[in-house]
């Protein structure tokens, strides 16, 4: 019979708690935590390596087959008391299930992948985990080939990013680069058209352009936009023309509209419809 | 000289705290709280009626002219100690300034306004304050004429909505309706084309349609989408075609893309560019 852990001082519990709270510890350990039934099943389906499954007795009863399914794959099963579960979880109404997973080892750089992705999204220093999660979810929905992130972006394994992405983190190819401008330079040399997104009338309105076969859009930090170094590394600048008075859009909304514009043409061609007929 | 309030038990402090935390109290009192220098100045610029200005001595020194400016308009000035300020504020790094404001009395219904708005966004039961804030910010940026919200949407005066909207709450016309389907019916009778947003291949792809002169898009709840009653009240259904595997977009992203599509044509016409040339 599996023993139930009731103490917060247990080393497994301490480890999990630290993984939840510390991006640095996650990086050192190359592990992260996935919370909630749906995300855990998403991780399983995406063949994420599950180190250990933590669950309460209540959750085991309620989600019996799912807990079984995850338990079969997890290297370790850990039953915890409800109070330890509440202590550990980030959500207000924990479902009583989470997994410690091994970080996704994506050795291949997104713009060098064999499948030669047509479209790349690059992000510079996106700080808000909800924004990053939303952006990854949108990128997946739009069928973007991969996401390139500066090291200054918030941690992709933070619980909020995982939740906001609806599991897209597990599925979409991504690369974290230490030097985004150099990576953009390299992309250009490889034949990508790299467009920096800026809220400026001097940039090319996205409505007037056609994204080339292989192209990338670069979206900057929420408060400061793209750095000058990054802007200089872009081959062109693109903007979303706005009639209203708000000086700019939320970063996730701007990314959403730009990604949509990247793939929009595919749809108008496929359906034969013409927005300007 | 103005006395500094140092006690949390002071009635003004209790009132402000309750306004911050309770949507119900805000509704009863017809008041709300605006936090931080930028938002407070936004409120002043938008001619929001300011009942009282709360500030710390530090803030008074740091933002002297701004505090003066708001103080001239506020019916009351209240100096508080740093600890009372920390107790009161919702943000992690309070700037030491907030205002109690009178709820915006928008008697006129957005779709009956004299200026006859061309484009309306309707929202059914949007629950997440960050989503609602982002959506309002986008609606303003896109020059949408007004926002119609079901009573089931989260409170527009919640601190998170105000922050996320970047002050758009103060500026964009909005109406909260007790019966969204009836309001949509009324809009149709007034000549609006009302499109419900659904993630379904049966709906008309947004890429193939042209929004008529007076039209509205209706976006539903994050988890459940639009209710059947609401769908039935719509004159048509619209969808964002998605090549990727995510079953749907975040509500704020979906709203962003749909609002963008509503105004997109204006830009392609104005610039003479044609995305399908």
């Amino acid at each position: 019979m599996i023993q139930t852990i009731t103490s917060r001082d247990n080393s497994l519990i301490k480890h999990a708690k630290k993984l939840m709270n510390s991006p640095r510890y996650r990086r050192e350990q190359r592990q992260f935590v996935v919370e909630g039934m749906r995300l855990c099943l998403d991780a399983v389906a995406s063949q994420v390596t599950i180190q250990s499954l933590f669950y309460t007795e209540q959750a085991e009863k309620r989600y019996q087959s799912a807990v079984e399914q995850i338990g079969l794959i997890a290297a370790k099963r850990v039953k915890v008391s409800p109070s330890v579960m509440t202590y550990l979880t980030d959500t207000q109404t924990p479902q009583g299930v989470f997994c410690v997973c091994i970080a996704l080892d994506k050795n291949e750089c997104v713009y060098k992948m064999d499948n030669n992705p047509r479209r790349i999204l690059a992000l510079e220093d996106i700080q808000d985990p909800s924004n990053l999660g939303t952006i990854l979810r949108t990128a997946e929905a739009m069928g973007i080939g991969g996401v390139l992130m500066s090291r200054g972006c918030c941690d992709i394994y933070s619980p909020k990013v995982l939740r906001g992405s609806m599991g897209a983190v597990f599925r979409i190819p991504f690369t974290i680069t230490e030097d985004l401008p150099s990576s953009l330079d390299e992309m250009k040399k490889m034949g990508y058209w790299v467009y920096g997104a800026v809220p400026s009338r001097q940039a090319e309105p996205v409505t007037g352009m056609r994204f080339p076969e292989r192209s990338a859009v670069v979206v900057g930090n929420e408060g400061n936009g793209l750095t000058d170094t990054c802007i200089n590394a872009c081959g062109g600048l693109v903007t979303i023309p706005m009639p209203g008075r708000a000086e700019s859009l939320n970063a996730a909304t701007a990314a959403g509209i730009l990604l949509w514009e990247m793939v929009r043409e595919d749809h108008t061609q496929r359906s034969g419809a013409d927005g300007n007929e």
Side-chain angles (χ1 to χ4, degrees), chain A:
Chain A
M1 201 190 112
I2 292 177
Q3 240 191 318
T4 303
I5 296 177
T6 56
S7 163
R8 296 181 181 186
D9 291 331
N10 180 289
S11 62
L12 288 170
I13 305 302
K14 278 178 162 173
H15 175 66
K17 183 74 176 177
K18 221 171 156 186
L19 282 179
M20 277 178 180
N21 292 339
S22 164
R24 192 176 162 173
Y25 190 65
R26 287 196 287 267
R27 226 171 122 184
E28 282 166 11
Q29 299 286 317
R30 300 200 49 72
Q31 291 182 17
F32 66 102
V33 171
V34 176
E35 261 193 80
M37 199 35 104
R38 184 179 166 165
L39 265 188
C40 285
L41 288 173
D42 259 9
V44 170
S46 309
Q47 294 170 306
V48 174
T49 309
I50 294 172
Q51 237 269 317
S52 32
L53 161 67
F54 291 72
Y55 59 101
T56 58
E57 194 165 337
Q58 290 83 336
E60 194 183 14
K61 283 181 187 150
R62 197 167 161 195
Y63 310 107
Q64 199 182 352
S65 70
V67 169
E68 281 297 319
Q69 194 192 333
I70 305 166
L72 283 174
I73 290 157
K76 198 183 283 172
R77 292 174 63 149
V78 186
K79 201 187 268 194
V80 301
S81 68
S83 73
V84 167
M85 183 56 72
T86 307
Y87 166 68
L88 279 173
T89 49
D90 190 57
T91 46
Q92 286 187 326
T93 49
Q95 294 176 305
V97 181
F98 70 91
C99 292
V100 167
C101 303
I102 307 295
L104 309 161
D105 224 335
K106 307 205 169 172
N107 287 314
E108 223 178 0
C109 176
V110 285
Y111 53 88
K112 292 177 191 164
M113 292 190 301
D114 284 343
N115 70 353
N116 217 332
R118 291 171 57 203
R119 279 145 187 171
I120 301 277
L121 169 67
L123 302 172
E124 187 183 35
D125 302 355
I126 293 291
Q127 283 301 295
D128 182 274
S130 305
N131 278 345
L132 183 56
T134 302
I135 291 172
L136 294 170
R137 180 178 175 186
T138 309
E140 183 184 35
M142 297 299 166
I144 297 303
V147 181
L148 179 67
M149 280 171 285
S150 70
R151 174 62 73 194
C153 284
C154 64
D155 183 30
I156 197 166
Y157 295 117
S158 100
K160 271 193 183 173
V161 176
L162 294 170
R163 266 203 306 280
S165 83
M166 301 287 270
V169 172
F170 307 143
R171 296 178 295 261
I172 199 163
F174 66 86
T175 300
I176 295 159
T177 170
E178 302 293 335
D179 185 349
L180 183 58
S182 298
S183 300
L184 299 177
D185 270 334
E186 199 177 16
M187 287 184 77
K188 285 187 299 185
K189 281 177 196 142
M190 291 175 66
Y192 280 95
W193 290 75
V194 178
Y195 296 96
V198 290
S200 157
R201 285 177 198 277
Q202 265 68 56
E204 197 172 349
V206 70
T207 36
M209 67 183 278
R210 194 171 190 144
F211 285 95
E213 183 62 22
R214 295 179 84 199
S215 50
V217 159
V218 196
V219 174
N221 170 268
E222 288 90 343
N224 309 315
L226 292 174
T227 58
D228 287 343
T229 344
C230 210
I231 285 179
N232 291 333
C234 292
L237 297 175
V238 62
T239 198
I240 301 167
M242 277 171 286
R245 69 154 265 177
E247 67 239 50
S248 74
L249 297 166
N250 162 288
T253 306
I257 292 172
L258 291 168
L259 294 179
W260 165 244
E261 283 288 329
M262 279 181 114
V263 304
R264 188 185 192 279
E265 237 163 55
D266 301 350
H267 296 287
T268 47
Q269 278 161 4
R270 194 180 307 157
S271 68
D274 183 334
N276 295 286
E277 65 193 51

